[in-house]
Amino acid sequence: MSDQPFALLLAGPTASGKSALALALAERLGGTVINADSMQVYGGLRAITARPDAAEEARAPHRLYGVHDAGTAASVAWWRGQALAEMAAARLPILCGGTGLYFNALTEGLSEIPPVPPEAREEARGLLAALGPAALHARLAEADPDTAARLRPSDSQRLARAWEVWRGTGRGMAAWQAVPGTGPAQRDGVAWRFAAIRLDPPRDALRAAIGQRWQGMLAAGAVEEVAALVARGLDPTLPAMRAHGVPEIAAALRGEISMEEAGRRACLATGQYTKRQATWFRHRPLAGATDTHTIHARVAGQEQFSESEWAEIIAFIDRRR
């Protein structure tokens, strides 16, 4: 046993079964599941983001699920601060999600970017809405080519963030990120130790799971959730309004497409996103983790692990904490 505090990272693409595995581990090991998914932090999106339901949350402690209002964007820095507080209070923190930037914020740290004036943020959102992400990317490439080179032209949220940082601070995000920042996560001045379990199921199994997940979301009230969001008149560029399934169901509610077509589009978009997630975790390993145990064979949670598989998972964790 080390004097350093220990936390487990549980990462993988959407619909790979992370939540089910995290819950099972929390029950077996007395852990606390801490959300590391950038969409599941928002309130009012339990069904559409396939968050753990009330019965699952009652079986083991769950933190940072549905805690941020959908009407404002939750920053990585905000999440990091909340996660560190929850980790300090947990016997075994199990950080569960598919957002690589969240994990990196803990294991590598964040750049100390100054607060951005509201007018810069409003300008960025306005340009994104008026021009679209590709045109905003082109403008960013002229103003801040180093940052633009790191971003996909379709990544609207990060493009808007990059524009507001450049306009609001006079320096681009790439320049800020080159300056030493917070450093890896610590508790009482002692660095956290991390080990990771990564889910990487076969593509065909993941595609099937995405389809099943969509049907489960509908049955759990996803349409009603999206209707409530739409009724608030929220900015469509907000992260919560771009969660997979929200734009598609909103279009169906407006009568622009059928609900069947909404499902087809949402599952397609989710599948494309999972490819990017899998690529991230394969080619950019979870930096800061002492070791990573990868599960390839299945979508976790769809069937029970055998006792030998459980023994291997538990032994991996025990050897590293």
Side-chain angles (χ1 to χ4, degrees), residues 53-64:
D53 61 28
E56 290 167 331
E57 290 185 345
R59 289 166 53 190
H62 284 70
R63 302 288 185 262
L64 301 188

Side-chain angles (χ1 to χ4, degrees), residues 166-239:
W166 173 72
R167 289 289 286 160
T169 70
R171 299 176 65 185
M173 288 192 69
W176 283 112
Q177 289 167 349
V179 178
T182 62
Q186 296 185 1
R187 187 183 72 184
D188 298 329
V190 180
W192 282 87
R193 291 181 303 113
F194 298 97
I197 294 177
R198 182 170 71 88
L199 301 180
D200 186 24
R203 292 301 309 173
D204 57 347
L206 196 58
R207 281 193 296 270
I210 290 170
Q212 294 169 8
R213 183 177 185 264
W214 175 256
Q215 295 303 320
M217 288 156 54
L218 292 180
V223 175
E224 292 77 9
E225 285 183 350
V226 175
L229 286 176
V230 171
R232 292 181 62 182
L234 298 178
D235 184 341
T237 65
L238 284 169

Side-chain angles (χ1 to χ4, degrees), residues 10 34-35 59 106 109 112 118 155 163 169 208 224 249 270:
L10 180 48
I34 301 173
N35 174 43
R59 289 166 53 190
L106 290 178
E112 297 280 14
D155 196 341
W163 185 269
T169 70
E224 292 77 9
I249 291 177
T270 303

